[in-house]
Amino acid sequence: MAGPVVKAPPLRPFPSIPALQPDAMAASKPYIATDKIQEPLGFPGQLVENWEQRAIGRMGELLKRYRSLKVYLESCVHCGACTDKCHYFLGTGDPKNMPVARQELMRSVYRRYFTLPGKLFPKLVGARDMTKDVLDEWWSYYNQCSECRRCSVFCPYGIDTAEITMAGREIMDSVGVGQKYANEIIGKVHRIGNNLGLPGPALEDTLAGLEEDVKEETGADVRYPMDEKGAEVLLITPSADFFAEPHVDSLIGYGKVFHAAGISWTLSSYASEAANFGMFIGNYEQMRKIALRIRDAALELGVKRIIVGECGHAWRAAYSFWNTLSGIGAGGDDPFAKQLQNQLDLRYPQPQHICEFTWDLIQRGALTLDKEANDHRIVTFHDSCNVARASRMGTRAGGQFDIPRAIIRAVANNYVDMDEGTIREKTFCCGGGGGLLTDDLMEIRVKGALPRMEALQRVVDSSKVNFMATICAICKAQFTKVLPYYGFKMSMVGGVHQLVSTAIRLGPKQ
Ligand code: SF4
Ligand code: SF4
């Protein structure tokens, strides 16, 4: 079914703050998950009776469980520093897309039920009852936040709107209002092992095809193995890498790097997904269940190392949460976590990002690289939010910014950064993160991409950039879709390991 026609806003001189357009995006809402999607995840199939009390009850549980949520709801001083920092506000002008206003949607309800002034004098302190109108507003605007955390970089108190959005979605799921796109995907991972719902045989077919293609291209017998017991490395990568363009070009690149390094590796048909949408809906139990598939696969295959492919939020989940969720990294203390601790080779980071792995090999001179092979490209790099603001790479501060750039510079001669205010920790979201990468949210996706498109246009104009590299499956999918809205070619976006793949030399044929 064709969706509504979406018109991209015009690119503006950068940076510029839009004129306010109250409620411009009030009608933007994702499809609601059906009972068939909700119930297998343990959520009510539809809006429950007494949902108001249940929503407040769930909020109370989250406030006890996450002290950060309480601190964030209590500590805003309305200084306004975050107001113009959200790409969705910059792209739409809707004041409810200002981070402080997005927070206020929940803070006003928090005040009413969890503070004395709010209980006694609600109107005086801007406290609101939990009504259907409030729930509708939450549904719109907590699905217009990609949980990118850019606003928190500028907040003097470090208030993280993403955590408030996650709590909002968690509360809505608990009363039966779940997002179709995200929850359907979580169900597929539980049932099949990956977001795309691709069964093992389909994955194996693809991998066999890749082996043939790479043999044809390079003359080398590069393997793309699956479920191989005793391999040194288990690679956990987004399932989009198996099929989607340009994602698959990075998967080809990973295989070439493992081949060149002479390190045995395998993918897993059981844990064939790096993404973890449990994080997007703020649900710890879903997140843990998804992460445990990876632990199970690692134990079953007997691997010594776990490496994560190009996926932004997956790296956040792996870097920040896998240890306590599953025992990959120190932290988990159940018997299986301990078994895994004993199995993994602790001389290496566990888990390790594929960029850390490749950069280490480059530094040791273990790869033969022909930079000229990328001379047709003038490259820039889009930092992905969850890598930039919620994780690290390497042993030095800022490694998550420097290592991908160092790899690009090692494999390509032409590299240009975008405007300083739009990269590294200040990077702008692609517009499709946080569970918004669905066609029913196309308008907010296109408009939310505006700040990144403006920054891209500047380096296209000044330096003739024709390739934007990124290390996130969602960014790749989002940009492929929205670049044409702004007059760019969709093939302009690709992975860092796509560039590595072009430059790496493997066999005598080359
Ligand atoms: S999308 Fe990002 S910048 Fe906007 S409110 Fe959410 S976390 Fe903040
Ligand atoms: S920057 Fe922080 S304290 Fe200031 S208005 Fe935004 S959330 Fe509140």
Side-chain angles (χ1 to χ4, degrees):
M1 194 175 71
V5 178
V6 177
K7 201 167 173 302
L11 299 177
R12 306 159 301 184
F14 181 85
S16 57
I17 298 168
L20 292 187
Q21 298 193 46
D23 296 326
M25 295 303 291
S28 172
K29 300 170 195 288
Y31 294 147
I32 294 184
T34 61
D35 53 349
K36 287 194 179 57
I37 295 171
Q38 289 286 91
E39 285 168 0
L41 304 186
F43 300 137
Q46 56 191 10
L47 190 62
V48 293
E49 282 183 24
N50 299 328
W51 67 267
E52 298 91 335
Q53 290 93 321
R54 287 179 69 167
I56 298 307
R58 189 67 183 146
M59 190 190 287
E61 287 167 14
L62 296 181
L63 287 165
K64 280 198 192 113
R65 190 171 187 174
Y66 306 120
R67 192 168 151 63
S68 54
L69 181 63
K70 193 172 167 60
V71 169
Y72 295 152
L73 289 174
E74 294 208 332
S75 54
C76 175
V77 295
H78 293 89
C79 69
C82 63
T83 51
D84 59 347
K85 303 303 185 293
C86 176
H87 50 293
Y88 293 123
F89 170 65
L90 294 173
T92 67
D94 188 328
K96 290 205 180 90
N97 275 325
M98 292 176 177
V100 61
R102 201 185 310 285
Q103 296 166 20
E104 191 61 22
L105 297 176
M106 183 175 292
R107 191 173 283 125
S108 56
V109 175
Y110 166 78
R111 257 186 231 119
R112 177 73 181 95
Y113 297 93
F114 296 95
T115 70
L116 193 60
K119 285 177 187 170
L120 297 177
F121 319 107
K123 286 216 166 61
L124 217 59
V125 295
R128 297 194 301 175
D129 288 336
M130 188 76 209
T131 63
K132 186 66 172 56
D133 285 347
V134 169
L135 183 69
D136 287 346
E137 262 189 337
W138 282 25
W139 183 243
S140 284
Y141 291 100
Y142 287 132
N143 284 300
Q144 293 182 50
C145 169
S146 55
E147 302 171 353
C148 77
R149 310 178 86 220
R150 186 171 194 268
C151 48
S152 71
V153 170
F154 297 89
C155 173
Y157 295 88
I159 294 172
D160 186 356
T161 317
E163 280 212 27
I164 295 174
T165 293
M166 288 171 187
R169 292 186 190 173
E170 162 81 354
I171 292 166
M172 288 189 283
D173 262 324
S174 77
V175 299
V177 184
Q179 204 223 51
K180 177 177 183 283
Y181 168 69
N183 289 1
E184 196 168 35
I185 276 179
I186 292 171
K188 276 188 211 162
V189 177
H190 294 332
R191 286 196 318 278
I192 303 165
N194 57 65
N195 287 9
L196 298 183
L198 300 166
L203 301 176
E204 275 172 23
D205 274 0
T206 307
L207 297 176
L210 293 186
E211 289 183 358
E212 284 172 22
D213 292 348
V214 175
K215 173 83 177 168
E216 174 73 18
E217 175 205 345
T218 67
D221 289 311
V222 177
R223 299 210 48 231
Y224 291 84
M226 174 154 278
D227 297 333
E228 285 205 354
K229 285 195 177 180
E232 168 89 2
V233 171
L234 169 62
L235 179 77
I236 299 293
T237 205
S239 56
D241 281 2
F242 289 91
F243 280 97
E245 287 283 353
H247 309 60
V248 69
D249 293 313
S250 282
L251 176 57
I252 291 170
Y254 313 149
K256 289 181 181 177
V257 172
F258 284 119
H259 177 91
I263 294 174
S264 65
W265 68 292
T266 187
L267 293 148
S268 159
S269 58
Y270 179 74
S272 46
E273 184 58 70
N276 193 326
F277 276 34
M279 191 167 87
F280 292 157
I281 63 165
N283 188 287
Y284 180 86
E285 288 71 27
Q286 297 301 326
M287 204 171 152
R288 180 158 198 266
K289 206 170 157 195
I290 292 169
L292 287 180
R293 291 183 79 92
I294 296 162
R295 165 165 103 185
D296 292 348
L299 288 169
E300 168 73 17
L301 295 167
V303 296
K304 297 283 180 208
R305 305 170 65 177
I306 301 178
I307 294 182
V308 180
E310 294 182 359
C311 181
H313 84 280
W315 179 237
R316 179 185 184 187
Y319 180 86
S320 302
F321 304 123
W322 271 5
N323 59 345
T324 50
L325 288 174
S326 66
I328 303 169
D333 59 0
D334 63 274
F336 293 107
K338 286 189 172 144
Q339 187 186 339
L340 189 59
Q341 293 296 309
N342 290 332
Q343 178 185 309
L344 295 176
D345 186 340
L346 298 180
R347 289 174 303 166
Y348 299 98
Q350 304 284 2
Q352 187 175 36
H353 195 279
I354 188 74
C355 284
E356 295 176 299
F357 174 72
T358 298
W359 178 233
D360 178 56
L361 292 169
I362 291 172
Q363 283 179 299
R364 291 196 280 112
L367 304 181
T368 305
L369 300 167
D370 170 16
K371 291 170 80 162
E372 281 69 36
N374 275 311
D375 272 356
H376 58 297
R377 290 172 169 144
I378 300 171
V379 183
T380 193
F381 181 67
H382 164 79
D383 294 275
S384 300
C385 308
N386 278 294
V387 175
R389 290 185 282 263
S391 74
R392 284 270 295 270
M393 277 184 211
T395 53
R396 293 196 193 138
Q400 73 272 31
F401 311 123
D402 297 333
I403 289 176
R405 285 175 171 80
I407 295 173
I408 295 171
R409 286 198 167 99
V411 301
N413 284 312
N414 309 309
Y415 179 77
V416 185
D417 258 327
M418 285 182 276
D419 190 287
E420 182 184 3
T422 75
I423 58 170
R424 299 172 74 93
E425 69 272 18
K426 292 179 190 156
T427 188
F428 274 111
C429 173
C430 63
L436 307 190
L437 191 75
T438 168
D439 284 356
D440 34 318
L441 293 174
M442 189 51 79
E443 184 180 358
I444 191 73
R445 284 172 56 190
V446 170
K447 292 181 173 173
L450 178 68
R452 172 50 74 227
M453 295 295 103
E454 288 172 335
L456 178 62
Q457 184 68 58
R458 283 162 73 93
V459 286
V460 168
D461 291 343
S462 64
S463 308
K464 298 191 170 35
V465 161
N466 60 11
F467 191 89
M468 179 166 60
T470 186
I471 47 172
C472 175
I474 287 177
C475 296
K476 290 173 194 169
Q478 160 75 351
F479 285 135
T480 303
K481 198 93 179 198
V482 303
L483 279 166
Y485 282 86
Y486 290 92
F488 300 111
K489 286 187 183 155
M490 64 165 69
S491 57
M492 236 181 129
V493 66
V496 166
H497 280 79
Q498 183 175 340
L499 298 173
V500 174
S501 179
T502 303
I504 198 165
R505 292 294 165 259
L506 302 174
K509 190 174 171 181
Q510 294 178 325

